[in-house]
Amino acid sequence: MNSPVWHPYAHLKTQQPAPKVIGGQGANFYLDSGETLLDATCSWWCMIHGYGHPRLVAAIREQAGELCHVMLGGLTHDPAERLARELVRITPPGLDHVFFSDSGSVGMEVAMKMAVQYHYLQDKPNKHRLLSLMKAYHGDTMGCMAVCDPEEGMHALFAGVLPRQHFAPSPRADFDAGPEEVQADLDALRRILECRHHEIAALTMEPLLQAAGGLNMTSPHYLHGARELCDEFDVLLIFDEVATGFGRTGRMFAAEHAGVSPDIMVLSKGLTGGYLGHAATLATGRVHDAFIGDSALHAFMHGPTFMGNPLACRVALESLAVFEDEDYLGRIARLNRVLHDELFLDATLRAHPAVADVRVLGATAVIEVTEAAALKGVAAFARRQGVWLRPFGHWLYTMPAYITSEDEMRRITEAMKAWFR
Ligand SMILES: *Cc1c(COP(=O)(O)O)cnc(C)c1O
């Protein structure tokens, strides 16, 4: 019998039946076929503690016995209060206010709406557009699609119905680039801001690592320069750290590499360790305080039903505690070393005619190929070796759970390299 489940991003005519997952432990999940697969992607980058983590599971169980859900409209509860405080503590300085929602896309919608309303409340209603970057990915809802790369992105078909936003070129200088090398990227940003700043509310970016748009990496100096440009042109800076947050780039947040604080920052994916859907949009006092005023228009009219869900907040608190107790940044550094040695330094891999580039940052590595066809069949190939890889477009990547052992990490890099032999 055909399944009524409609799978994401699937071509219905050619899709294969989806393997059925019945459980998981650590970096592995189990299929009903008896196979055990080592997850190289930690389930779209969110299961940072792997599967079945006892502390996270216990936190959910315990919270479920106390309070599963209550609206945040006019009410509050300990898990939301404590998580908000923790997020303010660990994020870059100045981000002192937390608006919860239920997914990364909605967290970004909240950020963009907040930025537009901020300028409206400053008597600058014309500053209502967004400036994004080519190769950006910020989510699949209508507002988010409008700030995803309009050409390479997967939403081109909707171009006619989406609001028109502005786009700057995606940064080309790589992670190690110095201030001179990012100048061309910053000049491109400046040119757009110079002509359009009067209508731009905010610059949105995935700092350092444009993830779903092709794992494009750039330099902390670019973030620095972008911050200065935003200040110069009275444009808010929104960091979408949905993918980069919680250690993925080697620091807790990508912003830390540059010592830059955005005006608004969005967190999701790793926030709950992937155990429940949730998101947080953090704002500075300057943004928040603009909403203090007498008119009805000063209220921020947004409120997802499940914002601040107690189960999600509670497991997020436990996730953060495990992150610190078990020195995850140290684990990420060790995984980074394996990725660097096994992929980045592999001259044979880099010289392969199908390979265009190999990049590594934190617990992220990607082999970019010149033709997408070069990756056809790689997922099935890896599965035969007990590894779950899910390449997209030109990119064969890994973003492992941080509890992945160094041996497991090598099994993943081995499966990636074996494909090119
Ligand atoms: C995944 C992702 C989103 C969307 O998050 P969802 O929870 O899937 O809605 C937004 N921004 C970035 C950078 C992401 O990687």
Side-chain angles (χ1 to χ4, degrees), residues 115-128 198 234 290 295 297-298:
V116 170
Q117 190 168 345
Y118 165 85
H119 287 290
Y120 181 92
L121 294 171
Q122 307 278 320
D123 283 328
K124 291 183 180 161
N126 291 333
K127 284 172 91 70
H128 65 270
H198 54 276
D234 188 22
S295 96
L297 298 174
H298 277 89

Side-chain angles (χ1 to χ4, degrees), residues 45 103-106 108 137-139 206 211 240 242-243 268-269:
W45 335 329
S103 72
S105 299
V106 176
M108 268 304 290
Y137 174 82
H138 294 293
E206 298 153 272
D240 176 352
V242 170
S268 187
K269 292 202 167 89

Side-chain angles (χ1 to χ4, degrees), residues 54-213:
R55 282 181 62 179
L56 270 63
V57 172
I60 295 174
R61 284 221 170 92
E62 204 177 299
Q63 183 60 42
E66 290 169 23
L67 178 67
C68 284
H69 185 64
V70 69
M71 69 201 282
L72 210 58
L75 297 170
T76 194
H77 52 80
D78 260 345
E81 293 291 336
R82 283 170 48 216
L83 179 59
R85 265 177 231 291
E86 278 294 280
L87 293 176
V88 168
R89 176 177 73 81
I90 63 173
T91 49
L95 295 161
D96 293 338
H97 304 273
V98 183
F99 194 98
F100 289 116
S101 61
D102 39 23
S103 72
S105 299
V106 176
M108 268 304 290
E109 297 278 351
V110 166
M112 295 187 284
K113 196 165 153 182
M114 217 177 242
V116 170
Q117 190 168 345
Y118 165 85
H119 287 290
Y120 181 92
L121 294 171
Q122 307 278 320
D123 283 328
K124 291 183 180 161
N126 291 333
K127 284 172 91 70
H128 65 270
R129 287 192 199 280
L130 297 154
L131 172 58
S132 183
L133 303 179
M134 299 302 280
K135 296 193 183 169
Y137 174 82
H138 294 293
D140 290 345
T141 55
M142 296 300 262
C144 290
M145 284 198 288
V147 285
C148 291
D149 185 314
E151 289 166 13
E152 297 284 319
M154 47 189 149
H155 304 130
L157 124 84
F158 295 96
V161 295
L162 298 176
R164 286 198 168 276
Q165 310 292 16
H166 294 295
F167 286 87
S170 114
R172 301 174 69 102
D174 63 22
F175 179 76
D176 296 319
E180 322 73 42
E181 293 156 280
V182 299
Q183 202 50 53
D185 293 328
L186 290 171
D187 288 346
L189 206 48
R190 169 178 287 281
R191 277 194 289 279
I192 297 185
L193 285 166
E194 266 170 0
C195 325
R196 302 289 183 180
H197 66 94
H198 54 276
E199 58 177 53
I200 294 176
L203 167 62
T204 63
M205 67 169 72
E206 298 153 272
L208 292 190
L209 172 65
Q210 294 183 294

